[in-house]
Amino acid sequence: GQLSHEDGAVRHGHAVTASLGHGGLGWAAKEYPLLAWLGRRKVEGDGRTPAGLFPLGPAFGRRAASTGLPFRRSKPGDTCVDDPSSEKYNLIVSAAPGKPRPKGEDMYGISAYELGVVVQQNPPPAIPNGGSCIFLHEWAALHAPTPGCVAMSSTALRRIVKWLNKERNPHILILPATAYLTVRDQFGLPRID
């Protein structure tokens, strides 16, 4: 990504190093069905980060954070459901006290999820097996690949979370290099070396 500071905000121009899924990229089937059919498709558990343009938000975390996005405070029992057969697939839900947690990612207990932002890929009603629980979050280790999320340093993540504002309709563009180079000039995207 490209970000920089201007009057306390962040704007286009400052590079942020991030890690993607260990399986590379896969086209999001719900948002890009033709590309998913023609190329590598994002499916549940494939370790791929979804390729495409996706809305961002809400933000989430164990402690309140400065952000212009809606914020969900994580608590014990919060889970992002990754069971494709569940009616709650790709949603963050709270387990009722004394009830078992649904199958999914522990949104409170995973240290990389201390702060994060939901990448709205395969939103409700989600396509079963279309991929779930994709977030911007802190990397577990420097430059470590993810199971499909976009991970970065804590400093970069906090800067981005603070900069994001719901009123500006924030999105993230994730593209394979060949696709990026094809559309870069047409859409005035930055050159990335």
Side-chain angles (χ1 to χ4, degrees):
Q2 297 268 328
L3 303 174
S4 71
H5 296 280
E6 177 181 280
D7 299 318
V10 181
R11 67 172 167 77
H12 176 76
H14 176 82
V16 173
T17 300
S19 296
L20 302 177
H22 60 80
L25 297 179
W27 290 102
K30 184 171 186 175
E31 295 86 350
Y32 302 93
L34 180 60
L35 292 171
W37 182 74
L38 291 172
R40 289 173 49 149
R41 177 181 176 183
K42 169 67 186 154
V43 296
E44 186 66 40
D46 63 3
R48 294 180 184 144
T49 298
L53 179 66
F54 309 104
L56 290 172
F60 62 86
R62 287 184 243 166
R63 289 182 284 246
S66 176
T67 185
L69 293 176
F71 186 82
R72 178 188 174 111
R73 183 114 186 223
S74 302
K75 56 189 181 302
D78 284 358
T79 303
C80 185
V81 179
D82 64 7
D83 178 358
S85 66
S86 172
E87 63 187 28
K88 302 289 186 182
Y89 179 59
N90 200 24
L91 293 175
I92 298 173
V93 298
S94 297
K99 298 283 185 183
R101 282 187 31 225
K103 180 183 174 298
E105 296 190 29
D106 180 352
M107 299 302 294
Y108 185 81
I110 296 175
S111 62
Y113 294 167
E114 183 176 327
L115 178 65
V117 177
V118 174
V119 176
Q120 294 289 338
Q121 179 263 317
N122 197 21
I127 295 173
N129 282 313
S132 65
C133 311
I134 305 296
F135 310 118
L136 304 181
H137 64 74
E138 186 177 342
W139 45 38
L142 184 67
H143 304 294
T146 71
C149 293
V150 177
M152 62 198 70
S153 73
S154 175
T155 301
L157 179 63
R158 291 187 186 290
R159 186 180 308 143
I160 290 169
V161 169
K162 185 174 183 177
W163 173 67
L164 291 171
N165 186 320
K166 180 183 177 187
E167 301 305 315
R168 292 185 175 162
N169 193 23
H171 283 66
I172 186 169
L173 178 63
I174 305 169
L175 293 175
T178 54
Y180 185 84
L181 292 172
T182 300
V183 300
R184 179 185 64 203
D185 293 336
Q186 180 181 359
F187 293 102
L189 300 173
R191 294 192 178 279
I192 298 176
D193 300 321

